[in-house]
Amino acid sequence: MSSINNPFAAFKSKNFKYFWLGQCISLIGTWLQNTALSWLALTLTKSAFLVGLFNAVQFTPQLFLSLFAGAVADHFPKKKLLILTQSLLMFLAFLLSFLTWRKIISYPILLAFGLFLGIINTFDMPIRQSFVIELAGHELLFNAVALNSLNFNLARVIGPAIAGMLLKNVGMSICFLLNGLSFIAVLIGLFMIDVGLKPMSVKKKEKVFADILEGLKYARKNKIILQTITLLLIMNVFVMNFNVLIPLYTKYVLHRDEAGYGFLLSSMGIGALIGAFFVATTSKKKPTLKRLYFSLIFSSIIFVIIGINKNYHLSSILFVFAGFSAILFTTTANSTLQLSSSDEYRGRVMSLYTMIFAGTTPLGSLISGFFAQIFSVNGAFIACGIICLIFYIVYFLSISNFKRSFSNEKIV
């Protein structure tokens, strides 16, 4: 079997393997924390809107600081930057564990924690995303991105399931403690990586704001990057609101406890894991805009069906499909942007990805939380799915060359 058909082809790079193995442990801890955070917000407030507000606060920095973070990623050694951001995330996890264990935690403190977490993640995400190509190279990039998604979603299956049991039988503080300990693995992996310390960009004398504007002009002139960013915006605002809607759906529609909440997240993780493995095994085929369109439409339809459904067992199946379509979309979008960018601009292009993918989450969180508050949780799923389809149709019809865009033409 040739390496390009091998779903683990990117493991040929020792640097990428070290990075992937470190992330393998750390991401399980991340999902332990994410699962516990949403449940903690709901426990403290018992309000759909305030749960949405917490998620909004957590992701707001990525809306305003992502472009600056992208310029930083293009001008400084990514390995050093990642060691710094991962260390800070570890400290926050230990701090939250202590506050929860001592029962000092309150909703205002949780909001402050979400803000600091969001600021650090704003810098961590574009640096980590654009670091992959330095580890795996251009030829194996699509496979490496798929393997990262596979890793992320394997943790997405394991983490919430463990968190559900811990939340029910032990408490929340242990989830945050285990997340803090998990960062040790990723830091060891980073120290083992040897890619040199030179940043990829050599334009060190330019001002940061000039760099940002140059990156925005580059993205606007590249039609594939522009279309991908637009589709990502539509998808993320209306469909990627699982952190807000799933705990509400579990408690108020399905009438299940923490274990049921963790199981639904794991079901979605199983679907995402299948989707990531599918992308990894088909990495010989380059990402296409047609795949982006299909996954967006399919995700919207699944959202509507979830809103209609009230059966717990059927819900677990529907969330498998939701996870599959979501990861198919995000992996394709991520690879498309990286492969369509030159080395000089990749950090700034991926900061746009971060700004849209995470930075618009506050808007999506507030919209979904508002819909759930004034209508119902079911109504929120249905409304978000339908609105996403409407925006997509309007955008699709507005593209003068939509026939070419919808073709199965290779992006690179």
Side-chain angles (χ1 to χ4, degrees), residues 41-63:
L42 182 59
T43 302
L44 290 173
T45 65
K46 296 180 175 60
S47 167
F49 178 76
L50 291 179
V51 173
L53 178 62
F54 168 69
N55 280 276
V57 169
Q58 187 177 170
F59 290 100
T60 295
Q62 299 181 12
L63 179 61

Side-chain angles (χ1 to χ4, degrees), residues 37-342:
L37 275 176
S38 293
W39 198 261
L40 176 59
L42 182 59
T43 302
L44 290 173
T45 65
K46 296 180 175 60
S47 167
F49 178 76
L50 291 179
V51 173
L53 178 62
F54 168 69
N55 280 276
V57 169
Q58 187 177 170
F59 290 100
T60 295
Q62 299 181 12
L63 179 61
F64 296 102
L65 297 176
S66 289
L67 296 178
F68 175 73
V72 170
D74 278 336
H75 286 287
F76 295 94
K78 296 179 178 64
K79 176 180 171 179
K80 282 189 172 181
L81 291 173
L82 283 175
I83 290 173
L84 175 62
T85 57
Q86 294 289 301
S87 299
L88 290 172
L89 290 171
M90 179 173 64
F91 170 76
L92 284 182
F94 285 139
L95 178 61
L96 184 61
S97 177
F98 174 78
L99 294 175
T100 309
W101 173 58
R102 297 292 296 175
K103 294 182 170 47
I104 304 173
I105 195 69
S106 64
Y107 186 68
I109 293 176
L110 188 64
L111 287 179
F113 172 84
L115 180 62
F116 286 121
L117 183 66
I119 292 172
I120 299 170
N121 277 323
T122 298
F123 287 88
D124 183 77
M125 285 185 66
I127 296 167
R128 187 156 35 88
Q129 297 282 355
S130 57
F131 191 45
V132 174
I133 198 167
E134 293 187 37
L135 302 176
H138 287 80
E139 181 184 353
L140 297 173
L141 174 65
F142 192 29
N143 181 259
V145 172
L147 285 176
N148 276 342
S149 296
L150 187 70
N151 198 354
F152 180 84
N153 290 289
L154 180 61
R156 194 177 190 172
V157 175
I158 299 172
I162 296 174
M165 292 186 290
L166 291 175
L167 288 171
K168 186 175 183 179
N169 300 306
V170 182
M172 295 182 186
S173 62
I174 188 67
C175 294
F176 306 130
L177 175 63
L178 291 175
N179 180 45
L181 292 173
S182 73
F183 282 103
I184 296 173
V186 74
L187 288 172
I188 291 174
L190 285 170
F191 280 114
M192 293 177 67
I193 289 171
D194 182 17
V195 291
L197 296 177
K198 293 182 179 180
M200 297 185 73
S201 175
V202 295
K203 297 183 177 181
K204 296 181 179 179
K205 295 182 179 180
E206 291 188 3
K207 295 181 180 180
V208 172
F209 288 108
D211 257 359
I212 292 173
L213 289 175
E214 187 181 355
L216 289 174
K217 290 178 182 178
Y218 175 79
R220 181 177 60 84
K221 292 178 181 179
N222 188 310
K223 293 182 180 179
I224 292 173
I225 292 177
L226 183 61
Q227 288 191 49
T228 303
I229 289 294
T230 303
L231 293 173
L232 184 66
L233 175 63
I234 295 171
M235 178 80 162
N236 203 66
V237 169
F238 297 106
V239 174
M240 297 292 190
N241 302 315
F242 301 109
N243 285 345
V244 176
L245 292 177
I246 293 182
L248 300 173
Y249 188 74
T250 302
K251 188 167 186 176
Y252 298 118
V253 177
L254 303 178
H255 306 291
R256 298 282 173 158
D257 59 11
E258 296 94 331
Y261 167 55
F263 181 75
L264 283 185
L265 285 178
S266 292
S267 296
M268 188 171 174
I270 290 171
L273 184 64
I274 295 170
F277 190 76
F278 169 77
V279 174
T281 54
T282 58
S283 60
K284 182 177 180 180
K285 300 178 180 179
K286 300 301 181 182
T288 61
L289 290 174
K290 183 177 180 180
R291 179 176 285 183
L292 282 177
Y293 291 136
F294 166 78
S295 52
L296 184 148
I297 294 170
F298 187 72
S299 294
S300 302
I301 294 172
I302 289 296
F303 241 57
V304 174
I305 297 174
I306 289 173
I308 296 171
N309 171 67
K310 295 183 180 180
N311 181 273
Y312 177 69
H313 298 292
L314 181 56
S315 295
S316 63
I317 297 174
L318 291 172
F319 277 110
V320 169
F321 285 109
F324 178 89
S325 58
I327 206 62
L328 186 64
F329 181 90
T330 55
T331 304
T332 303
N334 185 304
S335 303
T336 298
L337 292 175
Q338 294 211 53
L339 291 170
S340 301
S341 306
S342 65

